[in-house]
Amino acid sequence: MQKFIDLKKTAQSHYDNILKKPRIRVGTDISGVAAGSLEISNEFSKYISEKNLDTTLSHVGGFGLSYAEPLIDVEMPDGSRVFYSNVSIQNVKNIVESHIINGKPLYDIAFAYTGNLVNTNNTPEFYELPENKLQKKILTENFGHIDPTDIYEYIVNNGYSALAKALFEMEIDNVHKEILDSKLRGRGGAAFPTGVKLGFLKGSDAKEKYILCNCEEGDPGAWNDKAILESDPHRLLEGLILAAIATNASNGIIFIRHGNDIPIERTKEAVKNAYEHGLLGKNILGSEFSFDAEVVLVGESYVAGEETALMEAIEGKRAMPRYKPPFPAAFGVWGHPSNINNIKTIANLPSIILKGSEWFTSIGTDTSTGTAILCLSGNINKPGLYEIEMGTTIRSVIEDICNGIPDNKELKLLQTGGPLGGVLNSTKLDTSIDFDSMAKAGAILGSGGIIVADEDVDVVDLTRMLIAFCQFESCGKCFPCRLGNSHLLEILNRICGKNSSDSDIDLMRKVGTNMQQGSLCGHGQLGFNPIKSALEYFKEDFDFALDSTPSISNTTINIPTRANRY
């Protein structure tokens, strides 16, 4: 324990030195970079160098406010912080000269502040953003605040405190019991109880056991897994070690889809720093527990998100699901007992161990404890990433957090849970966002992506695009999935092109049933979901498409399946 106490003292000293001078935080998550934040950062660096200023320029993750990017946060030594939204390169010089040098914030481009600034007749009434007030931040509490490449900043903000508690103040059985009692359910889509799943691995006596963390995240409209790695990778790493303690696992692998450069670089840096500070490797923090972890990159494949396909990919094989049994807890990666969980699931463990299962179960609902990270995109005024308490309604998220639909148009549908999820209409706005309520409504929470569409959307064409994605991403191992998705796309092409018959709807249902019953993994089993839910809530749109002339979206989508490309 003394090693951790000494580490915390070093971290605090390091952080105190940062606070003694002005600090500029630049949001460099995926939304920030897409909006030009790296160019903004280079411009800040230029002016800081020209003026020879003693100022800290930090790349941080994002606050999740995609609509406000590029987002710049200026913190002064007195603790005041002013946030500038939609910053342009032309704004940079003025921010440096007025705010950093002269201590005068530019209120005309600022949109919020915290700290010691006092309102006068010349300053607007800034306040905490409503979308932040309505959030319940657990996984995202450090987003935008800490430098994800600085391990000391994570430690100062209670980072690795749960690890120290688990190593020196708890028995292994109690670490697992806390997770079990928290009622945490998997955040990857299946929502299986995490403690139960870890228990399968805990029961193995094998000397070499693996904890695998899944960041394949190929869902269109979801980026929350990557956001954790971009903004707070040490939280994931600490959770990985805690899962290992709970199961007495020896090795960990963080699986990241190739091409996600910023999450990859920051996670690798976190692993490196953890080893350097005795938080990974032999005898962690002077304890008797040892654990090794690494980052593994695998090529793009949506099916690699399925747990057994992921193991195949890690082993250098084509990502295709395995037959079960044997299950991963008995025969996993390279034949060793393994446990596989989503990044959001594992990242919840530090808070659960540090604050206790009773605290965690006080958040959310009885059967869906904790929070959900949602990615909102599409026809919405404030797209972004928001962490809300389980049980919050969809209406509250859309209207109170995201400020509704642009141009006063009506909301027509929500596409939830990724391409294998479902579509809901506006009558389901009061559905509670939790695993069971979403499933009952005919959709899934899944990865947390919610794509919002207004009254102008062509539901049939949108459904066709989802099926086209699923067709392309089928690995081809199971013919009900491989052929079923192709048949569904052919039928939807006919409907959109006014070449269909009245029997096509029934034919799609038969194909969907065969896919559900004959596929090895969720890609085929859930592949009919978009059509099934669309027919439930928008049958009139399909009837209209069958009876009307071709729409402007009647171009045939005929892309080769991934299976046929090998």
Side-chain angles (χ1 to χ4, degrees), residues 4 7 139 142-143 146 148-152 154-155 158-164 166-167 175 179 211-215 225-247 249-256 263-281 284-285 289-296 341-351 353:
F4 183 67
L7 185 57
L139 298 179
N142 288 332
F143 281 28
I146 69 171
T149 65
D150 189 340
I151 191 172
Y152 291 142
Y154 179 69
I155 292 172
N158 284 324
Y160 290 109
S161 294
L163 174 60
L167 287 174
V175 174
I179 300 171
I211 298 289
L212 308 180
C213 194
N214 185 352
C215 186
D225 289 350
K226 292 185 284 288
I228 291 174
L229 299 183
E230 291 169 331
S231 302
D232 201 6
H234 281 285
R235 179 182 295 274
L236 179 277
L237 196 54
E238 183 177 10
L240 193 70
I241 305 169
L242 289 170
I245 293 172
T247 58
S250 59
N251 296 80
I253 296 176
I254 303 168
F255 170 92
I256 309 176
I264 291 168
E265 291 168 4
R266 291 180 179 176
T267 307
K268 285 185 173 180
E269 183 71 15
V271 171
K272 176 185 173 183
N273 290 339
Y275 270 110
E276 290 172 348
H277 291 84
L279 295 160
L280 279 175
I284 293 175
L285 292 176
F289 184 73
S290 300
F291 181 69
D292 289 301
E294 62 180 317
V295 174
V296 172
N341 270 297
N342 173 264
I343 278 185
K344 296 182 289 295
T345 309
I346 296 294
N348 266 296
L349 300 188
S351 296
I353 297 301

Side-chain angles (χ1 to χ4, degrees), residues 43-53 93 96-97 101:
E43 196 73 5
F44 270 112
S45 181
K46 169 186 169 183
Y47 281 109
I48 289 171
S49 178
E50 284 182 1
K51 301 293 183 179
N52 196 27
L53 299 175
K93 181 179 179 181
V96 172
E97 293 182 348
I101 297 177

